[in-house]
Amino acid sequence: MKKVIFLVDMQTFYASVEKADNPKFQDKPLIVSGDPERRSGIILAACPLAKEAGVKTAEPLWQAKIKCPEAIIVRPRMQRYIEVSYQITQILEQFTDLVEAFSIDEQFLDVTGSQRLFGSPLEIAQKLQIAIQEGTGVYSRIGIGSNKILAKIACDAFAKKNKEGIFQLDSANMKEQMWPLPIGKMFGVGSRMEHHLGRMGIQSIGQLAQFPVHILKKRWGINGEVLWQIANGIDYSPVTLNTHVHQKAVGHQTTLPRDYGTLEEIKVILLELSEEVAQRVRAKNYRGNTVSVGVRGADFENPTGFHRQVKLTTPTNFGMDIFKAAFKLFCTHWDRLPIRSAGITLSQLQSADSYQLSLFDFSMRKEELNQAMDIIRSKYGQTSIVRASSLTKSGQAFARAEKIGGHYK
């Protein structure tokens, strides 16, 4: 039987959840935004009415207010969005056992074997839309394809724009529908790649599909071939339940409530981020080999900052090991200008069950200490035990403990 893959996307998910929970907002423009007083006043979601007024995701709140002064502004409730996302997953699992989360508001489904029970792909999509709308109050758009890539493009480029919110893309209509699209509309092509391809005379997806693949491979290696395959609707990856089981990296990034300009206050936030990364890595039973540090400067007009990484001599999941490497990197590359955000990542993860012991780093002692700290935090809360530096004005541990995904619960 021919494969049938869905990409189910929730329309303006955060804003839709807020409207579903507050019926009085239904006919009013609504914006979900971070807190401008903590320098996170960025638009996370805008309902269709707000978008009609020109409001765009990721723009500053003050700009959105100028475009749509009558808009209702609500703060994000991440715990609620996670709950609704899980509820939607349960609805999707009534139609197939092959459901793969792509993001909090997008999920892939393989409904190939579900057609005998629920009808044609179009009928299944329509039933899904009704079930999600009735169960959560959220409207969904569905891309249908013979693989995940075509389902994704069908959703993003067509289903999100038509009245039905459903579109099917396969070998029968791919050249007619997908190939004329601008190359920037293709999944996997960002602004920089769009620029590079444009300089090669590639303006549409069809032009990329017909471009000699050996030239693309020579320029970008395997990534060049992957782009060519996407343009030709080729994708062999299955819908799987285990896509996110093995992570390649664990990181934390934070936008600071004010510009941090001294080494002492920046040191505090790097230590907190290192501890958070280490705790998450231990919870997943990993150790990592590479520490990365990224910071962004405070001046938007003249962007500054850097992103650097270093490979450790032995894999670790200890906060101080990560911090020492991160702090050394920071001191080496910092331009001494104030920063507004910082992030730390531990990558090249491997199982913590087996690793090479060292005679000089007291691994067993550190492991016992961190295990004790993890138990305390698990039982009494994230801030039940913190470093003394987190009690200073520079510390953000208590504020971050109240958030999920960088936003308040």
Side-chain angles (χ1 to χ4, degrees), residues 296-316:
R296 188 175 65 187
D299 189 347
F300 274 118
E301 300 298 325
N302 301 288
T304 60
F306 64 87
H307 188 278
R308 295 290 187 275
Q309 65 181 37
V310 63
K311 188 165 184 177
L312 306 175
T313 54
T314 56
T316 187

Side-chain angles (χ1 to χ4, degrees), residues 349-368:
L349 301 180
Q350 61 188 62
S351 173
D353 293 333
S354 59
Y355 59 95
Q356 180 67 48
L357 288 172
S358 171
L359 298 174
F360 307 106
D361 66 357
F362 306 102
S363 293
M364 296 304 294
R365 186 180 300 176
K366 289 192 289 187
E367 192 164 327
E368 292 172 356

Side-chain angles (χ1 to χ4, degrees), residues 263 266-267 270 293 306 323-336:
L263 189 60
I266 295 171
K267 186 176 181 179
L270 292 179
V293 177
F306 64 87
F323 167 73
K324 288 175 182 177
F327 188 62
K328 184 176 180 180
L329 273 176
F330 179 82
C331 291
T332 301
H333 298 285
W334 184 38
D335 55 12
R336 301 303 185 268

Side-chain angles (χ1 to χ4, degrees), residues 83-188:
E83 291 169 358
V84 176
S85 180
Y86 179 66
Q87 186 180 351
I88 291 169
T89 300
Q90 291 179 308
I91 293 171
L92 300 180
E93 288 174 343
Q94 296 173 14
F95 291 82
T96 175
D97 59 337
L98 294 174
V99 179
E100 176 186 336
F102 186 63
S103 67
I104 192 171
D105 62 346
E106 293 179 292
Q107 306 197 47
F108 283 109
L109 285 75
D110 186 334
V111 298
T112 307
S114 303
Q115 296 174 77
R116 294 187 182 93
L117 288 173
F118 301 106
S120 68
L122 178 59
E123 289 172 329
I124 296 174
Q126 291 170 337
K127 291 174 181 177
L128 273 172
Q129 280 186 324
I130 294 170
I132 295 170
Q133 183 87 48
E134 291 180 348
T136 66
V138 175
Y139 177 65
S140 59
R141 289 80 60 89
I142 302 174
I144 306 172
S146 52
N147 56 48
K148 291 163 76 172
I149 282 295
L150 289 179
K152 174 67 173 170
I153 296 174
C155 184
D156 290 348
F158 301 102
K160 290 183 179 181
K161 296 176 173 59
N162 66 25
K163 184 178 179 181
E164 297 77 19
I166 299 172
F167 192 85
Q168 184 163 359
L169 192 62
D170 53 31
S171 58
N173 67 348
M174 182 183 71
K175 293 182 181 179
E176 176 188 352
Q177 298 288 342
M178 186 178 82
W179 278 16
L181 293 175
I183 191 63
K185 296 291 185 181
M186 192 179 89
F187 178 73

Side-chain angles (χ1 to χ4, degrees), residues 228-241:
W228 180 87
Q229 289 183 343
I230 293 173
N232 281 281
I234 300 171
D235 179 21
Y236 302 108
S237 58
V239 174
T240 173
L241 308 180

Side-chain angles (χ1 to χ4, degrees), residues 200-228:
M200 297 171 68
I202 301 173
Q203 303 293 335
S204 70
I205 296 178
Q207 288 176 323
L208 176 60
Q210 299 172 80
F211 199 85
V213 67
H214 70 275
I215 297 178
L216 298 172
K217 287 178 67 176
K218 185 176 180 180
R219 177 97 184 252
W220 291 295
I222 188 64
N223 290 330
E225 183 173 3
V226 169
L227 287 172
W228 180 87

Side-chain angles (χ1 to χ4, degrees), residues 267-269 271-272 386-396:
K267 186 176 181 179
V268 173
I269 202 66
L271 179 55
E272 289 182 344
V386 297
R387 293 186 178 273
S389 58
S390 293
L391 301 175
T392 66
K393 292 182 179 179
S394 304
Q396 294 297 305

